[in-house]
């Protein structure tokens, strides 16, 4: 398989003589508007298929559902800047990252006070109303993205929301779902560094930092990486004992119309995917590898391009990597004793994931077989 460019549009060809050609990658300089990125398409569904929904409300038609610390921000920014994808409208008083992630489906993540019915769906849809203007209201090629990584925990909330505005289920059948999976131990270490950085920022700058960066950062600090008894930051070994291992158990998702919470580790990939596969058609779900994103951006982005039906030049583009916070205290390698402890939990879960993806293959552009995770290097503890 190889890709070629004709008149700035991407085509897929099969040629044995070119099977080993290096993939080209996108050119970020081509950042024209969405109307120049897509071919004109008219559909009875209209912009964001609003003609299928009650009161013509506009739900996003692309959900980047997770997982956290796997490259979701980098991909979301590429989709916005290169793909011309529309994103959530930030509301007054909200932090700027709500443009990328609206946190609707993860609302009430640990609080039992939010249900997913038509009334709440209408509030959520207002964030994407600006994506449909008078000029494009009849077009079916508009893409609107919510890239909240915690959405992976809540497939029932997603389905309930879409079905609340379209009882036929047709709207839910049209949404595109993307998930990026990362080697679990590396993801846990990245999450720890993320929480620890935010906590140190709070300790240094105090209330001003909380007000400017959203209070949830301090809540994460106090709950995940701050040892309240010792009045100090937890190390990574303490983090995995207190947070990772305690949450490494499957809890079925509660009824989305009841509003119960669900707290569990995001690395239980096979368990989550089984839920998504049972609620949405497998062809709607693109499973990606964070390791491929790091190793071969071109192939990774080509999969996304094909799945979403984008048309764009792909020359000399380098994905902009985000969330590279480092204040000199970042943990680069874990202890081998900690890795062994985590292996006992994640090794069987990873094998379960590989079997599941082999048994339930996804859309044709998805990587097959899914490449097994490569574990990070560890360091031996000093005596």
């Amino acid at each position: 398989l190889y890709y070629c460019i004709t008149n700035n549009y991407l085509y897929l060809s099969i040629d044995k003589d070119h099977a080993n050609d290096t993939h080209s990658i996108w050119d970020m300089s081509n950042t024209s508007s969405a109307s120049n990125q897509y071919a004109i398409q008219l559909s009875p569904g209209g912009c964001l298929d609003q003609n299928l929904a009650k009161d013509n409300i506009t739900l996003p038609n692309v959900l980047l559902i997770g997982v956290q610390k796997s490259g979701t921000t980098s991909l979301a920014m590429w989709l916005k800047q290169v793909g011309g994808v529309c994103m959530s409208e930030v509301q007054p008083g909200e932090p700027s990252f709500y443009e990328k992630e609206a946190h609707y489906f993860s609302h009430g993540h640990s609080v039992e006070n939010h249900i997913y019915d038509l009334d709440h769906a209408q509030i959520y849809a207002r964030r994407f109303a600006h994506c449909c203007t008078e000029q494009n209201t009849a077009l079916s090629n508009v893409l609107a993205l919510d890239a909240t990584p915690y959405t992976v925990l809540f497939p029932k909330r997603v389905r309930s929301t879409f079905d609340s505005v379209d009882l036929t289920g047709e709207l839910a059948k049209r949404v595109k779902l993307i998930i990026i999976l990362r080697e679990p131990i590396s993801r846990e270490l990245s999450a720890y560094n993320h929480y620890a950085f935010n906590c140190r920022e709070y300790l240094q700058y105090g209330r001003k930092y909380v007000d400017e960066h959203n209070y949830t950062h301090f809540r994460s600090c106090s709950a995940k990486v701050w040892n309240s008894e010792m009045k100090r930051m937890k190390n990574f070994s303490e983090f995995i004992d207190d947070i990772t291992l305690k949450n490494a158990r499957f809890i079925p998702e509660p009824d989305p119309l009841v509003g119960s919470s669900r707290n569990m580790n995001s690395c239980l990939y096979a368990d989550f995917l089984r839920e998504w596969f049972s609620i949405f058609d497998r062809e709607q779900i693109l499973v990606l590898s964070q390791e491929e994103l790091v190793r071969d951006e071109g192939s990774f982005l080509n999969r996304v391009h094909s799945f979403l039906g984008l048309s764009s030049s792909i020359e000399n583009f380098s994905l902009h990597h985000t969330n590279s916070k480092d204040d000199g205290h970042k943990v680069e390698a874990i202890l081998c004793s900690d890795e062994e402890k985590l292996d006992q939990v994640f090794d069987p879960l990873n094998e379960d994931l590989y079997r599941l993806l082999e048994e339930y293959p996804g859309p044709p552009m998805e990587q097959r077989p899914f490449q097994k995770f490569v574990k990070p290097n560890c360091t031996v503890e000093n005596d």
Side-chain angles (χ1 to χ4, degrees), residues 350-364:
N350 292 340
E351 291 300 323
D352 190 22
L353 169 69
Y354 307 145
R355 289 191 297 269
L356 177 69
L357 294 178
E358 184 70 21
E359 183 178 357
Y360 297 96

Side-chain angles (χ1 to χ4, degrees), residues 25 213 380:
I25 49 181
H213 294 81
V380 178

Side-chain angles (χ1 to χ4, degrees), residues 248-304:
R249 67 195 188 285
F250 179 72
I251 302 172
E253 183 185 2
D255 186 338
L257 298 180
V258 173
S260 298
S261 61
R262 190 189 199 191
N263 286 314
M264 51 191 297
N265 190 283
S266 296
C267 292
L268 279 68
Y269 301 144
D271 291 325
F272 292 135
L273 287 176
R274 281 192 182 89
E275 292 183 316
W276 286 94
F277 294 172
S278 69
I279 296 174
F280 291 90
D281 191 283
R282 181 66 178 91
E283 293 289 316
Q284 293 177 254
I285 306 171
L286 178 65
V287 180
L288 298 169
S289 166
Q290 187 265 354
E291 291 180 8
E292 184 182 47
L293 167 60
V294 173
R295 183 184 68 254
D296 186 358
E297 284 182 359
S299 294
F300 178 93
L301 292 173
N302 281 334
R303 299 184 200 284
V304 178

Side-chain angles (χ1 to χ4, degrees), residues 41-268:
Q41 299 177 14
L42 298 176
S43 166
C47 178
L48 299 185
D49 293 313
Q50 59 182 322
N51 295 345
L52 300 176
K54 294 179 181 178
D55 301 324
N56 290 340
I57 67 175
T58 49
L59 293 177
N61 53 3
V62 182
L63 298 180
L64 179 50
I65 62 176
V67 296
Q68 186 192 31
K69 312 309 298 177
S70 65
T72 59
T73 300
S74 295
L75 178 56
M77 291 304 101
W78 176 80
L79 286 170
K80 175 187 176 183
Q81 296 169 0
V82 178
V85 173
C86 184
M87 301 179 77
S88 170
E89 187 172 41
V90 179
Q91 303 301 305
E94 292 179 342
S96 59
F97 66 78
Y98 268 57
E99 178 187 28
K100 175 224 171 189
E101 45 195 81
H103 287 273
Y104 174 74
F105 299 110
S106 60
H107 183 84
H109 183 81
S110 58
V111 181
E112 302 181 4
N113 63 352
H114 190 89
I115 61 175
Y116 294 82
D117 56 7
L118 177 60
D119 291 339
H120 288 86
Q122 290 175 322
I123 297 173
Y124 177 52
R126 291 171 195 160
R127 293 181 175 275
F128 302 95
H130 69 285
C131 300
C132 295
T133 64
E134 292 182 3
Q135 289 73 28
N136 69 4
T137 187
L139 302 182
S140 66
N141 55 11
V142 177
L143 295 178
L145 169 71
D146 181 357
T148 307
Y150 289 114
T151 302
V152 70
L153 293 167
F154 304 108
K156 289 182 181 179
R157 292 183 179 183
V158 174
R159 186 67 195 226
S160 178
T161 297
F162 277 83
D163 287 348
S164 72
V165 304
D166 173 30
L167 297 179
T168 69
E170 182 62 30
L171 196 61
K173 293 178 182 178
R174 299 192 182 194
V175 65
K176 300 275 190 174
L177 304 164
I178 302 174
I179 180 169
I180 310 173
L181 304 181
R182 182 176 183 178
E183 191 282 319
I185 297 176
S186 298
R187 198 207 76 86
E188 288 299 303
L189 179 59
S190 181
Y192 168 79
N193 282 321
H194 174 76
Y195 297 136
F197 178 90
N198 287 336
C199 190
R200 287 191 294 270
E201 291 285 286
Y202 173 78
L203 294 175
Q204 181 176 357
Y205 299 110
R207 175 57 59 182
K208 181 175 183 293
Y209 179 82
V210 171
D211 292 341
E212 291 178 354
H213 294 81
N214 188 13
Y215 184 73
T216 56
H217 285 156
F218 175 60
R219 188 170 63 217
S220 296
C221 167
S222 61
K224 292 184 172 68
V225 295
W226 180 251
N227 188 320
S228 57
E229 293 183 1
M230 302 296 292
K231 304 298 182 185
R232 63 168 176 80
M233 296 280 290
K234 297 177 184 177
N235 58 38
F236 183 66
S237 299
E238 293 170 325
F239 173 80
I240 64 174
D241 286 337
D242 295 345
I243 304 298
T244 305
L245 298 178
K246 286 185 178 179
N247 291 324
R249 67 195 188 285
F250 179 72
I251 302 172
E253 183 185 2
D255 186 338
L257 298 180
V258 173
S260 298
S261 61
R262 190 189 199 191
N263 286 314
M264 51 191 297
N265 190 283
S266 296
C267 292
L268 279 68

